[in-house]
Amino acid sequence: QVQLVESGGGSVQAGGSLRLSCVASGRTNSDTALGWFRQAPGKEREYVAGFRWKTDNLYYADSVKGRFTISRDNAKNTAYLQMTNLKPDDTAVYYCAVGRPILSALRLPSHYMYWGQGTQVTVPS
């Protein structure tokens, strides 16, 4: 069982920055992956960024490359999503999730077993 708690959301003007945090507790292992997802009203949940615990590889959606940076602090069991140059299209509820997806399924929400409660990010247009 893994528990995830996100924080750091808020409202920021276009061009601004936010940093989201995801604290994980419970049992994880090297086969698991952590992903940040987001869901805007009326839209499907989409992959934003993530990593697999056993590698240093980082993965990003094309829409956030160059603007968002995912990182982790293993000692604190915490993952971060640094978001810069935010746009109104980034408005969504952001979730962190943990699962054991194969590499080809890394971006699919259905392959993640544990989810946080979500944190709202709003970028007014």
Side-chain angles (χ1 to χ4, degrees):
Q1 192 76 11
V2 177
Q3 294 79 41
L4 303 168
V5 178
E6 305 100 334
S7 62
S11 182
V12 62
Q13 295 300 311
S17 300
L18 283 173
R19 189 178 80 156
L20 306 183
S21 299
C22 172
V23 179
S25 59
R27 300 188 66 176
T28 60
N29 57 51
S30 61
D31 289 336
T32 57
L34 183 142
W36 283 101
F37 293 81
R38 66 186 181 186
Q39 188 164 19
K43 295 188 177 181
E44 294 186 353
R45 193 167 295 189
E46 65 173 354
Y47 185 83
V48 176
F51 58 82
R52 302 176 71 142
W53 291 107
K54 64 181 178 182
T55 75
D56 293 328
N57 295 332
L58 305 176
Y59 305 91
Y60 296 95
D62 288 343
S63 58
V64 306
K65 278 182 183 177
R67 300 189 299 122
F68 291 10
T69 302
I70 189 170
S71 61
R72 63 189 181 185
D73 184 332
N74 290 338
K76 296 181 179 180
N77 277 345
T78 301
Y80 303 97
L81 185 68
Q82 178 69 48
M83 306 185 294
T84 63
N85 191 21
L86 282 160
K87 304 175 181 180
D89 284 349
D90 296 318
T91 295
V93 178
Y94 283 71
Y95 301 89
C96 64
V98 167
R100 300 178 66 181
I102 58 176
L103 189 57
S104 60
L106 201 65
R107 301 168 186 264
L108 300 179
S110 59
H111 286 252
Y112 289 77
M113 296 173 59
Y114 304 103
W115 292 83
Q117 82 287 355
T119 186
Q120 176 72 45
V121 172
T122 302
V123 187
S125 57

